[in-house]
Amino acid sequence: MIYFTSDYTEGCIPEILEALARTNEEQTNGYGIDPHCENAASLIRKAIGREDADVHFLEGGTQANVTVISSILRPYQGAVCAVSGHINVHETGAIEALGHKCLTLPTNNGKITAAQVQNLIEEHIHSETMEHTVQPGIIYISFPTESGTLYSKKELTDLYAVAKKYDIPLFIDGARLGYALAAKKNDLTIQDIANLCDVFYIGGTKVGALFGEAVVILNDKYKKDFRYSIKQKGGMLAKGRLLGIQFEELFKEDRYFRISEHAIACAEKLTRALQDKGYAFAFEPETNQLFPILPVEKIEELRKNFGFELWGEAKDGKQTVRFVTSFMTKEENLNALIQAL
Amino acid sequence: MIYFTSDYTEGCIPEILEALARTNEEQTNGYGIDPHCENAASLIRKAIGREDADVHFLEGGTQANVTVISSILRPYQGAVCAVSGHINVHETGAIEALGHKCLTLPTNNGKITAAQVQNLIEEHIHSETMEHTVQPGIIYISFPTESGTLYSKKELTDLYAVAKKYDIPLFIDGARLGYALAAKKNDLTIQDIANLCDVFYIGGTKVGALFGEAVVILNDKYKKDFRYSIKQKGGMLAKGRLLGIQFEELFKEDRYFRISEHAIACAEKLTRALQDKGYAFAFEPETNQLFPILPVEKIEELRKNFGFELWGEAKDGKQTVRFVTSFMTKEENLNALIQAL
Amino acid sequence: MIYFTSDYTEGCIPEILEALARTNEEQTNGYGIDPHCENAASLIRKAIGREDADVHFLEGGTQANVTVISSILRPYQGAVCAVSGHINVHETGAIEALGHKCLTLPTNNGKITAAQVQNLIEEHIHSETMEHTVQPGIIYISFPTESGTLYSKKELTDLYAVAKKYDIPLFIDGARLGYALAAKKNDLTIQDIANLCDVFYIGGTKVGALFGEAVVILNDKYKKDFRYSIKQKGGMLAKGRLLGIQFEELFKEDRYFRISEHAIACAEKLTRALQDKGYAFAFEPETNQLFPILPVEKIEELRKNFGFELWGEAKDGKQTVRFVTSFMTKEENLNALIQAL
Amino acid sequence: MIYFTSDYTEGCIPEILEALARTNEEQTNGYGIDPHCENAASLIRKAIGREDADVHFLEGGTQANVTVISSILRPYQGAVCAVSGHINVHETGAIEALGHKCLTLPTNNGKITAAQVQNLIEEHIHSETMEHTVQPGIIYISFPTESGTLYSKKELTDLYAVAKKYDIPLFIDGARLGYALAAKKNDLTIQDIANLCDVFYIGGTKVGALFGEAVVILNDKYKKDFRYSIKQKGGMLAKGRLLGIQFEELFKEDRYFRISEHAIACAEKLTRALQDKGYAFAFEPETNQLFPILPVEKIEELRKNFGFELWGEAKDGKQTVRFVTSFMTKEENLNALIQAL
């Protein structure tokens, strides 16, 4: 069985395993206060060009979302997001479990626009019964989105302008950030990202690490007491250095970016193969998640040897599926899939 | 200024004021353990034909919804409801504040169907990643709905069949229950209601009382420890008898039903007047909430002398507005509005 | 049966019943935006000598505590309070239900001291693992306390100095505020109260009203968006004017203070009678709650004709009980109790 | 600097690093549904002698506590625990953040007794105002306790009898379970543990793993839907197999027990050295956490070369400190400390 189910079907880059072995007998303090976390944070600050950023390492993506959002919102505020946003559909209501509503906006490509957000905020502000409704308190977007699509620099700039206009923070879920930055169509650098939002996180789990996400807080207003939130939400790793060590390795020698390029190259090759066969796509293929529409018989045939997700009905008895490439995708596996298509 | 803004612009039926004066010097225990609450519960049990029902008196509608729903759900469960449901749009996220997502279904008349609910549940059950999504844990409907519409006996029977099939309780928000039962089109009795759901509440605030709602629990499974929830959610009135006294008066001599008939008669008269003028309605006029579509100039003119809610844009530069009649609507005020139309 | 169980065994002052009858047919907007609420707020602002105060009317005491505390705290913060504080022992964990720990301090008279609070804060600040513990975020005291005792002006001034030193707000639960202010030993005016805390509430339920508490916010920092919190926590009465009408009556002609004096006079008479019989008290008798220690046989005898609470074991086979007088205590009932003692 | 600060200052047993390297290129499904998790669960079921147990792997201890407790309790219920219990003092109010009060019992050695728990429950049940107080809903103990002490088989049997008598589940926090089982004084086997509680967890973070805890659910009543809770509380690792791989290695060839014995042997050697010097202990030295009382000058001297925690003031100008040995404590470091004493 060959898996294209997700970008977390394998382990990590070999340098991380080596570093874990090398540092295994070192003694350090716990909970993220150690030289490795310090060094990793410093490498990230350098990479994003923001010496003033606070960097925290958390165990996983749901935790990162939950910890950031709940540390910012007041109890009567909610998170503006795409109806397809990860926090709205794939975290078992973790945001609601902490008391906050997802204020969803319709989308057909995973993205939301500055105009949509502005309308939602304006409507709230001008409502005669505003106190009976949830106040927009944070804007959540994913880059790339859950549909594998990208915000352009123009789109992100516009979104952030709305955020600043209403003094509502913009938070970017970067679970797959590396793959967005490495994409052909992308016109944003990681420095741009850092300057066009209040908080974002750099995904490790799906991009080279065993696990771990680096939360980067740019806006001073949201820095205070963040470690209390990490601990309370269960995201503070006892052996915190494990996260520091992993991000040290990822941000040495631009590895984070180079391994992402591999996934994108694989995705592009697969895209061409799918296009050659004449398959349409449910969402524009822009990063490492591809959503081709395949005939049901083809899907059944492929499922004998390949793992991938069914993404929903399409018309004419076809179905949308999802293929995901990653930093570890093997040439031979990719070729086998292309062959089988 | 004459108000048709809502059914809570005035006070209460005179019998309640008399009873409050009559009992003012009585001494009783607090927190709903007193002869008046006992007697009121008994009158309600008789009216609904269910001697086995638990009856609790709460201060208001949001509290009733929040207390019932949070006492039933597990932390990872959500409330299935219409996207226009009161809990989804007009309670400042009170359900989410207690940890639960609203699992919304589209509607264009405030109602949801048995088929919609069944589909949502089936989709959840068959999802490969079900644990990443919120589990449907309760079905919430309003009778009448927030659009003033009614479920038929057939529709409610079907909904309850789905609820029982999947062992998910059906909860009916009856903030305006009296007006539903008094409506011409209605084919449900209050006994039917009690037999076609697991929990419902009988609204007092909008139907004759100063304040207060009577929560009726039919399914034994949800009776245990409900008073803890009332207290914790802030709905346990110290002078609990005030609620008992009000519901005693409402359920003496069928008053609850008779005062509702008055509101419906007023609404029907207003409906005919609107129809005579050729106005269309955004939702079918079925109870005491009417949603005619009026030209903007007409609205501006009316607003000088009448209070009513703007309900949203309609096409051709017209707007939907809401007129609400109540148990206290005066003939002369109604005639003044009809005149002004 | 004659009740000295609490100060909410009867109804309200007659002026409130008259006002409810007089205004019953008035039409007003709902949710606390009406002329009565406006006028009542204005009367309160005048009484406390603070034109800048925000005044909100809520339905009950648990709601007032929950709404104020949860609107101020961050998720990782807790409420510093006496171990005997109402929020810690008699609200079914309502504070915790909204996510916040009670950080309790020991007491043997219901009061906490400035030194205790300062120590707790200092210990937190200097802890090496502070982020693993709950941060003190608000100081909660009751005036009078749950033991019927009073803070002196000196004690309250000291507490507020600590609060300001660490920028942690001081919140006073005034469920029985009137009785504290009317007490012989008291040296604080309601204007002092308003100047020695950030938020307090004026209890109506136990002091003359049918129900309702007036939350007074003095510190600008905590005024923003408070109405969202009221609605979300279920404390926003649809017919909000009912609260306005009640507080209008209470604050006309100094009624709030005069009716409190009646309760205190009754309590003093009862105290003298108890002292004459040689009974000791578990807490110093200072307001309208008295905690004499009685022999078990005496208690059993009294319980045949009188309602009162058992407050816990004392030594030598005796028990502490609680007698409460109120704004409605009748001379004849008081004499009957004194006789029976 | 040599650390005796905690049992999580180093990495993990070498077999885990080897296994991670060996399996790095394997492809598996995520979220704990993979052959390694399956195998690890099977090894644990065998070790505890309960084929019917559900085993789940979570990322850390706070998560394990939070996920178990919040999945069991109703909103108005709290967790009975020692005032020194980890959930009460060192998780930033994570239990309260999910809505539940810690119902604390006094202790001077970290343990609570069956009699204490029974009294607390009985008092609640017989309270006239029980609905105004938090209902005991789960009993939480740590084995070993936060003071390094042990429950005897008799004590645990008695506690569990109370739990069963009142149908309230008993949950054992086994963050350091290995060290308890390996202790000289211990008379409980891991099979006993599994038969004397409803849920417990086997700590990996502090006993050989990089991170991870194995939650074991024995009582069928609490098994349903547990994976929803894991996901919602942020404890579901995307590359779930990392946890499976670690527990596979720990439960092969009795490693979990053998590495624990090493820590205990080190602790015993250190205990003897401390006793030889005439130092007293704040708590009986029973496992791998030792709490000797040292003169302040000695502490200052030791702190130059050794890391350890200050645990609080003792009398006569002395202080209690904590030394912790672990599965990785080196003979040479231990000797250096003994020398320095």
Side-chain angles (χ1 to χ4, degrees), chain C residues 104-123:
Chain C
T104 58
L105 292 169
T107 177
N108 54 26
N109 61 4
K111 299 199 284 180
I112 54 175
T113 68
Q116 279 182 301
V117 174
Q118 170 144 341
N119 285 350
L120 182 146
I121 298 171
E122 282 287 323
E123 224 172 84

Side-chain angles (χ1 to χ4, degrees), chain C residues 43-57:
Chain C
L43 290 171
I44 288 174
R45 275 193 286 263
K46 191 171 296 176
I48 65 169
R50 287 284 297 264
E51 284 306 312
D52 62 325
D54 271 13
V55 180
H56 301 274
F57 301 102

Side-chain angles (χ1 to χ4, degrees), chain C residues 224-254:
Chain C
K224 190 162 177 288
D225 292 337
F226 193 73
R227 280 176 55 83
Y228 284 86
S229 293
I230 300 177
K231 176 63 190 167
Q232 190 187 61
K233 283 4 177 194
M236 192 176 276
L237 196 64
K239 297 176 183 170
R241 76 201 199 169
L242 298 179
L243 294 164
I245 290 164
Q246 292 184 83
F247 276 91
E248 272 181 307
E249 295 306 314
L250 286 173
F251 277 83
K252 270 181 199 161
E253 301 163 20
D254 285 339

Side-chain angles (χ1 to χ4, degrees), chain D residues 144-166:
Chain D
T145 69
E146 297 76 8
S147 305
T149 54
L150 295 168
Y151 286 89
S152 69
K153 187 164 181 174
K154 170 82 172 64
E155 289 169 334
L156 188 59
T157 304
D158 289 351
L159 265 171
Y160 194 44
V162 169
K164 284 199 291 193
K165 178 175 175 186
Y166 295 99

Side-chain angles (χ1 to χ4, degrees), chain B residues 23-259:
Chain B
T23 60
N24 194 48
E25 301 200 2
E26 272 181 28
Q27 288 194 315
T28 64
N29 277 320
Y31 304 114
I33 308 287
D34 66 81
H36 295 287
C37 284
E38 219 170 283
N39 185 36
S42 170
L43 290 171
I44 288 175
R45 276 193 286 264
K46 191 172 295 176
I48 65 172
R50 287 283 296 262
E51 285 305 313
D52 63 325
D54 271 11
V55 180
H56 300 273
F57 301 103
L58 273 72
E59 298 171 15
T62 294
Q63 276 175 357
N65 288 332
V66 153
T67 307
V68 168
I69 292 173
S70 72
S71 86
I72 286 176
L73 293 184
R74 303 296 313 157
Y76 49 84
Q77 295 180 325
V80 179
C81 64
V83 72
S84 57
H86 203 263
I87 56 168
N88 191 48
V89 290
H90 271 103
E91 302 185 356
T92 324
I95 299 300
E96 289 84 1
L98 292 172
H100 304 290
K101 197 179 187 73
C102 291
L103 300 167
T104 58
L105 292 169
T107 176
N108 54 26
N109 62 4
K111 300 199 283 180
I112 54 176
T113 68
Q116 279 182 301
V117 174
Q118 169 143 343
N119 284 350
L120 183 146
I121 298 171
E122 283 287 324
E123 223 171 85
H124 179 81
I125 291 173
H126 295 108
S127 160
E128 288 181 1
T129 54
M130 70 158 94
E131 298 131 350
H132 297 238
T133 62
V134 174
Q135 191 182 74
I138 193 170
I139 304 162
Y140 165 96
I141 61 169
S142 307
F143 182 72
T145 70
E146 296 76 8
S147 305
T149 53
L150 295 168
Y151 286 90
S152 69
K153 186 164 183 175
K154 169 82 171 66
E155 288 168 335
L156 188 58
T157 304
D158 289 350
L159 264 172
Y160 194 44
V162 169
K164 285 199 290 192
K165 177 173 175 188
Y166 296 99
D167 195 24
I168 295 178
L170 177 62
F171 168 44
I172 303 177
D173 175 336
R176 293 185 168 97
L177 184 61
Y179 304 132
L181 295 172
K184 276 272 170 54
K185 198 190 149 190
N186 173 57
D187 65 353
L188 283 156
T189 64
I190 198 166
Q191 294 89 342
D192 292 334
I193 298 289
N195 292 322
L196 291 172
C197 72
D198 298 275
V199 187
F200 73 108
Y201 80 82
I202 302 170
T205 303
K206 292 167 179 162
V207 192
L210 289 173
F211 66 101
E213 327 291 315
V215 171
V216 183
I217 310 182
L218 288 322
N219 187 329
D220 288 344
K221 214 161 128 183
Y222 307 114
K223 290 176 179 172
K224 191 161 176 290
D225 292 336
F226 193 71
R227 280 176 54 84
Y228 285 86
S229 293
I230 300 177
K231 176 64 190 164
Q232 189 185 64
K233 281 9 176 190
M236 191 176 277
L237 196 63
K239 297 176 184 172
R241 78 207 199 162
L242 298 179
L243 295 164
I245 290 165
Q246 292 185 81
F247 276 91
E248 272 181 306
E249 295 306 315
L250 286 173
F251 277 82
K252 272 180 198 160
E253 302 164 20
D254 285 340
R255 276 182 206 136
Y256 190 75
F257 306 99
R258 285 191 291 114
I259 61 174

Side-chain angles (χ1 to χ4, degrees), chain C residues 278-290:
Chain C
Y279 294 128
F281 289 81
F283 310 111
E284 205 55 39
E286 302 186 347
T287 56
N288 70 320
Q289 296 182 82
L290 305 176

